[in-house]
DNA sequence: ATTAATCCCTGGAGGC
DNA sequence: TGCCTCCAGGGATTAA
């Protein structure tokens, strides 16, 4: 059997998780689970033996996504999976030896096997009844999906007024809008010409509207491009993400800003490496905008 | 109530 | 070549 890897890139954010969801949907929907092995118990947010036994016999009916969470809808339960930094799935044969960074193995009745791999072991999985996945603690606190239909600009404007901390910190929180991680947070702030350290409650209405638009557009564009691939990988269909060639500031420290030619700078915001153009993105001293 | 700090992990980078 | 130290980074948790 050909080994089919779904993922293999660093830092899965919404576009990468959505790309994985689409790959998994093609690869595993309809399969029935015969056996499960949890090799690193901490990955699973419950007793790992119970996790293993409860999954046996259930079939995968759908693969969904909410923010950066993958949700496998099963016969009775929902398996909620967050890849965090480096989690990825691979579909292979049951006979294929377990590799060093494989932490959860799902063997199917047809002889194939889904392997969860994660070098840093930051990823997490939970099991809940399948009609209750939206009430899972990690999911209830998520803001809206960043699409025109679900992400309202007036709500966004109101929500930002509740935070004095840097706008980038707020975007990384997933509470006001979900799906952005470190790469796309830097990209949307560059696109809307806002300094990552600008306090969220001091954004003008105009800036908020620009940011709202940038978030929707850039994430949609990155989904279309099948995400950003940092390291080379092949998924089930031999396709790579292509958005890396559109990155304007992330990982471009010292390179020329594509808008004005000023060298891109790197600073630290909320413990995260943060890239921006010091000419296009300037902190503006302002009083808090009225609530 | 909001926000900053800590923790989990490992491979890769840099120092010598 | 190899040993040691340092450190990124999403999100839950804890402290302030």
């Amino acid at each position: 059997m050909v080994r089919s890897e779904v993922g293999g890139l660093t830092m899965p954010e919404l576009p990468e998780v959505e790309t994985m969801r689409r790959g998994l949907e093609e690869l595993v929907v309809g399969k029935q689970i015969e056996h499960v092995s949890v090799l690193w118990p901490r990955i699973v947010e419950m007793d790992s033996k119970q996790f293993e036994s409860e999954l046996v016999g259930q079939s995968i009916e759908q693969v969904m996504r909410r923010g950066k969470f993958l949700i496998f809808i099963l016969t009775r339960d929902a398996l909620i999976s967050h890849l965090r930094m480096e989690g990825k799935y691979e579909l292979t044969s049951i006979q294929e030896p377990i590799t060093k960074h494989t932490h959860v193995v799902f063997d199917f009745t047809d002889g194939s096997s889904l392997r969860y791999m994660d070098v840093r072991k930051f990823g997490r999985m939970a099991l809940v009844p399948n009609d209750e996945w939206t009430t899972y603690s990690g999911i209830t606190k998520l803001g809206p999906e960043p699409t025109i239909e679900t992400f309202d600009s007036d709500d966004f404007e109101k929500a930002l007024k509740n935070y004095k901390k840097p706008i980038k910190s707020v975007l990384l929180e997933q509470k006001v809008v979900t799906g952005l991680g470190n790469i796309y947070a830097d990209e949307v702030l560059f696109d809307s010409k806002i300094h990552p350290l600008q306090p969220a409650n001091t954004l003008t209405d105009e800036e908020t509207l620009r940011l709202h638009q940038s978030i929707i557009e850039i994430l949609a564009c990155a989904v279309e491009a099948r995400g950003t691939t940092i390291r080379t990988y092949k998924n089930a269909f031999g396709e790579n993400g292509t958005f890396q060639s559109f990155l304007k500031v992330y990982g471009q420290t010292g390179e020329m800003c594509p808008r004005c030619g000023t060298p891109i700078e790197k600073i630290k915001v909320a413990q995260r490496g943060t890239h921006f153009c010091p000419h296009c993105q300037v902190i503006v001293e302002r009083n808090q905008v009225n609530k």
Side-chain angles (χ1 to χ4, degrees):
Chain A
M1 175 186 278
V2 176
R3 178 182 294 211
S4 301
E5 189 175 278
V6 182
L9 32 81
T10 58
M11 268 201 291
E13 305 180 34
L14 187 149
E16 293 73 31
V17 178
E18 176 60 21
T19 302
M20 292 185 208
R21 188 199 68 76
R22 292 176 185 183
L24 286 164
E25 188 169 56
E26 292 297 314
L27 290 168
V28 302
V29 166
K31 297 195 184 232
Q32 186 180 20
I33 298 168
E34 186 173 72
H35 185 260
V36 178
S37 302
V38 176
L39 306 168
W40 188 262
R42 200 183 263 274
I43 299 271
V44 174
E45 294 178 341
M46 63 189 282
D47 179 81
S48 62
K49 292 296 159 200
Q50 193 189 347
F51 177 89
E52 290 171 351
S53 62
E54 288 202 12
L55 285 168
V56 173
Q58 298 202 54
S59 296
I60 300 179
E61 296 183 347
Q62 282 184 74
V63 185
M64 302 176 72
R65 180 191 59 74
R66 174 79 172 93
K68 304 182 209 169
F69 288 87
L70 279 171
I71 300 114
F72 296 83
I73 303 292
L74 310 174
T75 311
R76 184 186 66 242
D77 295 324
L79 171 62
I80 301 176
S81 170
H82 198 299
L83 287 342
R84 293 281 177 92
M85 297 299 298
E86 299 189 41
K88 59 190 172 187
Y89 285 95
E90 181 181 277
L91 186 70
T92 183
S93 155
I94 245 167
Q95 278 92 26
E96 194 72 25
I98 302 302
T99 57
K100 190 179 177 188
H101 300 300
T102 299
H103 308 308
V104 186
V105 177
F106 304 88
D107 290 334
F108 298 116
T109 54
D110 67 354
S112 63
S113 180
L114 185 67
R115 311 279 169 88
Y116 176 74
M117 302 146 95
D118 188 343
V119 171
R120 292 196 183 162
K121 301 175 174 170
F122 276 9
R124 291 294 179 265
M125 288 181 197
L127 210 52
V128 298
N130 65 13
D131 57 350
E132 289 175 23
W133 71 265
T134 55
T135 64
Y136 171 70
S137 63
I139 286 179
T140 52
K141 56 187 73 155
L142 297 179
E145 291 288 316
T147 67
I148 294 176
E149 297 78 24
T150 48
F151 185 28
D152 184 80
S153 60
D154 290 333
D155 291 346
F156 185 47
E157 202 176 293
K158 280 180 205 137
L160 291 185
K161 293 184 187 355
N162 295 321
Y163 299 93
K164 287 185 203 166
K165 65 176 173 179
I167 182 63
K168 173 157 177 183
S169 305
V170 175
L171 295 179
L172 290 176
E173 264 199 351
Q174 311 301 308
K175 251 175 115 178
V176 169
V177 61
T178 186
L180 295 163
N182 209 33
I183 296 175
Y184 296 109
D186 283 0
E187 292 298 316
V188 300
L189 288 170
F190 172 77
D191 192 60
S192 49
K193 301 179 186 170
I194 298 168
H195 194 288
L197 285 172
Q198 187 75 40
N201 64 353
T202 66
L203 265 62
T204 63
D205 291 355
E206 205 173 283
E207 285 173 333
T208 304
L209 272 178
R210 281 209 307 272
L211 181 55
H212 176 260
Q213 191 70 15
S214 296
I215 290 169
I216 291 173
E217 282 178 8
I218 288 177
L219 288 177
C221 188
V223 168
E224 182 78 14
R226 284 179 256 107
T228 300
T229 301
I230 304 289
R231 298 195 302 254
T232 309
Y233 81 106
K234 285 197 171 185
N235 70 8
F237 315 101
E239 298 165 336
N240 287 324
T242 57
F243 197 76
Q244 58 276 13
S245 54
F246 299 105
L247 296 178
K248 305 258 175 58
V249 288
Y250 185 84
Q252 310 297 311
T253 313
E255 300 294 320
M256 288 191 344
C257 167
R259 259 192 321 242
C260 74
T262 305
I264 299 301
E265 287 183 13
K266 184 174 182 181
I267 57 171
K268 205 137 205 177
V269 181
Q271 278 85 21
R272 304 306 183 245
T274 298
H275 314 73
F276 72 106
C277 169
H279 180 260
C280 298
Q281 298 165 269
V282 177
I283 300 188
V284 184
E285 291 290 336
R286 287 188 201 112
N287 293 323
Q288 178 183 344
V289 177
N290 295 337
K291 284 210 184 189

